[in-house]
C-alpha cells in the first residue's frame, strides 16, 4: 500500500462518517448498509448459486452474470464480514477522492469569483460560525451554474433508489424465503418433507412476518373485518414478493437495489437448466437464511 493510500480517507456511498482507514470499522458500518443486503440477495439467486458452483462459470450464456461473478466472487462460503474484507471493500470504495472545502492562499483573486466549478470567498474571522455558514450558503446558492454531481467512481455502484429503507429489504427477504419454503415443500423437495405448505399461505406468511400491523388478527375481529384483514395481508405479501423477485433478478445483472423487474436473460442452455432444476429437487439449493427459517419452523411445529 502506497503512502498516499495509507493516508487517504476511504469513501463509500451510503456509509457516511468513516474518517480513517480501519477495515474493522468499515466492516461494522457495511453490516448496516445496503452493501450487506446486496450480498444477501446474491445468496438468494439460483443463477448466482449455480454460476459459482464448480466449473459452471464457463457454461453460462450471460456475460452480465459472468462479470457479476467475476467481481463479487463466491458469497456462499464466506461470512459477510470476511467477504467484505476480501472483496467488498475494494469493490465499492470510491476510486477518486471527493472534492472538499479547503483554504486557499491570497493569489490576487477577488472575493466571490467563480472559477470553473469553484468559487473563492473571503471570510472575516471575527464573525460567528453561524453567520459564516449562513453567508457562505447564500453565496453558493447564488451561483447560477452550480451543478450538484452525485457520480461515483466505485467499481460497483448502488442503484439510485429514493427512500429505500433497509428494513424493507430485510422484510422482503423474509417474505420471499418463507414463500420459497412453502413452494419447495409442495414440490416434495428433499429436506422439506416435514413442512406443511398450508402453514405458509400468503396470509400466514404475512402474519409470521407481521408485514402489515393493521392486518394482524385480533380476538375481537368480526367475520367481515377478518376477511378484509386477510385480503389486505395477502395483497401486501404479493407486493413484497414482487419486490423480492425484482431485487434478485437485478443482482444477477449487477444492479442493486432495484424494484423494477429487468428484461430477463436466458442464462443457461436447456441442458444446464435441467441440471439446476434437478439440483433444487435434490435439496442442494438451500440459501442460508432460508435454511434458518426452515429450522425455526421445524422447531416451532
Amino acid at each position: 500500500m502506497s503512502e498516499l493510500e495509507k493516508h487517504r480517507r476511504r469513501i463509500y456511498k451510503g456509509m457516511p462518517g468513516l474518517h480513517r482507514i480501519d477495515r474493522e470499522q468499515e466492516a461494522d458500518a457495511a453490516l448496516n448498509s445496503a452493501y450487506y443486503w446486496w450480498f444477501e440477495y446474491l445468496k438468494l439467486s439460483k443463477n448466482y448459486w449455480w454460476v459459482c458452483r464448480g466449473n459452471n462459470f464457463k457454461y453460462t450464456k450471460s456475460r452480465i452474470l459472468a462479470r457479476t461473478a467475476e467481481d463479487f466472487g463466491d458469497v456462499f462460503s464466506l461470512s459477510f464480514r470476511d467477504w467484505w474484507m476480501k472483496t467488498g471493500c475494494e469493490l465499492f470504495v470510491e476510486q477518486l477522492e471527493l472534492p472538499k472545502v479547503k483554504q486557499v492562499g491570497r493569489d490576487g483573486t477577488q472575493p466571490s469569483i467563480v472559477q470553473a466549478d469553484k468559487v473563492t470567498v473571503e471570510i472575516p474571522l471575527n464573525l460567528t460560525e453561524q453567520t459564516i455558514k449562513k453567508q457562505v450558503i447564500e453565496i453558493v446558492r447564488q451561483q447560477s451554474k452550480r451543478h450538484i454531481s452525485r457520480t461515483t467512481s466505485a467499481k460497483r455502484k448502488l442503484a439510485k433508489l429514493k427512500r429505500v429503507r433497509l428494513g424493507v429489504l430485510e422484510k422482503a427477504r423474509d417474505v420471499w424465503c418463507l414463500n420459497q419454503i412453502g413452494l419447495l415443500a409442495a414440490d416434495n423437495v428433499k429436506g422439506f418433507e416435514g413442512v406443511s405448505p398450508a402453514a405458509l399461505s400468503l396470509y400466514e406468511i404475512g402474519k409470521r412476518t407481521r408485514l402489515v400491523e393493521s392486518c394482524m388478527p385480533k380476538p375481537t375481529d368480526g367475520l367481515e373485518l377478518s376477511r378484509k384483514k386477510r385480503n389486505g395481508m395477502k395483497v401486501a405479501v404479493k407486493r413484497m414478493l414482487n419486490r423480492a423477485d425484482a431485487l434478485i433478478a437485478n443482482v444477477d445483472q449487477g444492479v442493486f437495489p432495484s424494484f423494477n423487474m429487468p428484461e430477463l436473460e436466458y442464462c443457461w442452455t436447456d441442458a444446464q437448466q435441467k441440471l439446476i432444476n434437478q439440483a433444487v429437487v435434490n435439496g442442494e439449493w438451500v440459501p442460508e437464511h432460508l435454511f434458518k427459517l426452515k429450522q425455526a419452523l421445524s422447531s416451532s411445529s
Side-chain angles (χ1 to χ4, degrees), residues 196-207:
S196 170
L200 290 172
S201 65
L202 295 180
Y203 177 63
E204 291 299 324
I205 290 173
K207 281 204 307 179

Side-chain angles (χ1 to χ4, degrees), residues 234-273:
K234 288 191 288 186
V235 168
V237 170
K238 287 180 181 178
R239 185 182 300 118
M240 195 62 80
L241 287 173
N242 288 337
R243 286 183 167 187
D245 285 338
L247 288 165
I248 295 168
N250 277 290
V251 291
D252 284 349
Q253 301 188 13
V255 176
F256 186 84
S258 176
F259 294 142
N260 297 320
M261 183 63 74
E263 184 176 343
L264 297 181
E265 286 191 303
Y266 290 99
C267 298
W268 309 101
T269 62
D270 290 343
Q272 280 290 311
Q273 191 61 57

Side-chain angles (χ1 to χ4, degrees), residues 35-67:
Y35 299 121
Y36 170 78
W37 291 105
W38 197 330
F39 174 87
E40 284 294 301
Y41 274 89
L42 276 173
K43 293 198 294 183
L44 299 181
S45 167
K46 287 191 185 86
N47 286 329
Y48 197 79
W49 166 71
W50 192 254
V51 82
C52 289
R53 190 176 184 184
N55 294 319
N56 293 332
F57 179 89
K58 61 185 179 182
Y59 296 123
T60 180
K61 296 167 60 178
S62 170
R63 287 306 306 157
I64 296 177
L65 178 61
R67 286 195 296 269

Side-chain angles (χ1 to χ4, degrees), residues 102-293:
K102 62 182 180 180
Q103 181 177 351
V104 296
R106 291 184 175 275
D107 55 2
T109 57
Q110 296 298 315
S112 301
I113 296 298
V114 177
Q115 297 177 329
D117 59 348
K118 299 178 178 64
V119 59
T120 303
V121 297
E122 181 178 84
I123 301 177
L125 297 180
N126 60 343
L127 298 179
T128 65
E129 289 187 0
Q130 183 176 359
T131 300
I132 292 172
K133 289 178 182 177
K134 180 180 178 181
Q135 293 183 4
V136 169
I137 290 174
E138 287 177 354
I139 291 173
V140 170
R141 288 175 176 172
Q142 290 170 5
Q143 309 310 312
S144 59
K145 296 183 179 180
R146 177 176 175 239
H147 173 69
I148 300 176
S149 176
R150 301 189 185 278
T151 57
T152 173
S153 59
K155 186 174 183 180
R156 287 287 177 170
K157 308 165 180 61
L158 286 170
K160 294 180 180 179
L161 184 60
K162 293 182 179 180
R163 294 183 295 276
V164 63
R165 299 190 302 275
L166 300 185
V168 172
L169 300 178
E170 181 177 11
K171 191 74 76 173
R173 180 193 62 173
D174 291 346
V175 167
W176 188 87
C177 284
L178 287 170
N179 187 63
Q180 285 295 310
I181 292 171
L183 295 175
L184 294 171
D187 289 340
N188 297 314
V189 169
K190 184 178 179 180
F192 291 82
E193 300 89 347
V195 178
S196 170
L200 290 172
S201 65
L202 295 180
Y203 177 63
E204 291 299 324
I205 290 173
K207 281 204 307 179
R208 287 180 182 275
T209 58
R210 303 190 72 89
L211 186 58
V212 182
E213 285 295 334
S214 61
C215 290
M216 292 298 292
K218 294 180 180 179
T220 56
D221 291 342
L223 290 177
E224 182 63 20
L225 181 56
S226 295
R227 184 186 65 80
K228 288 182 178 180
K229 284 187 173 183
R230 291 181 70 89
N231 290 338
M233 189 71 87
K234 288 191 288 186
V235 168
V237 170
K238 287 180 181 178
R239 185 182 300 118
M240 195 62 80
L241 287 173
N242 288 337
R243 286 183 167 187
D245 285 338
L247 288 165
I248 295 168
N250 277 290
V251 291
D252 284 349
Q253 301 188 13
V255 176
F256 186 84
S258 176
F259 294 142
N260 297 320
M261 183 63 74
E263 184 176 343
L264 297 181
E265 286 191 303
Y266 290 99
C267 298
W268 309 101
T269 62
D270 290 343
Q272 280 290 311
Q273 191 61 57
K274 287 180 180 178
L275 290 175
I276 296 172
N277 295 341
Q278 189 58 53
V280 172
V281 170
N282 293 341
E284 298 173 38
W285 175 76
V286 185
E288 180 183 10
H289 190 67
L290 190 150
F291 177 77
K292 289 179 180 178
L293 290 178

Side-chain angles (χ1 to χ4, degrees), residues 1-10 21 97:
M1 183 183 294
S2 67
E3 286 300 314
L4 177 62
E5 177 65 18
K6 287 180 181 178
H7 297 287
R8 182 171 67 89
R9 182 165 68 97
R10 294 171 64 84
I21 295 178
E97 186 78 65

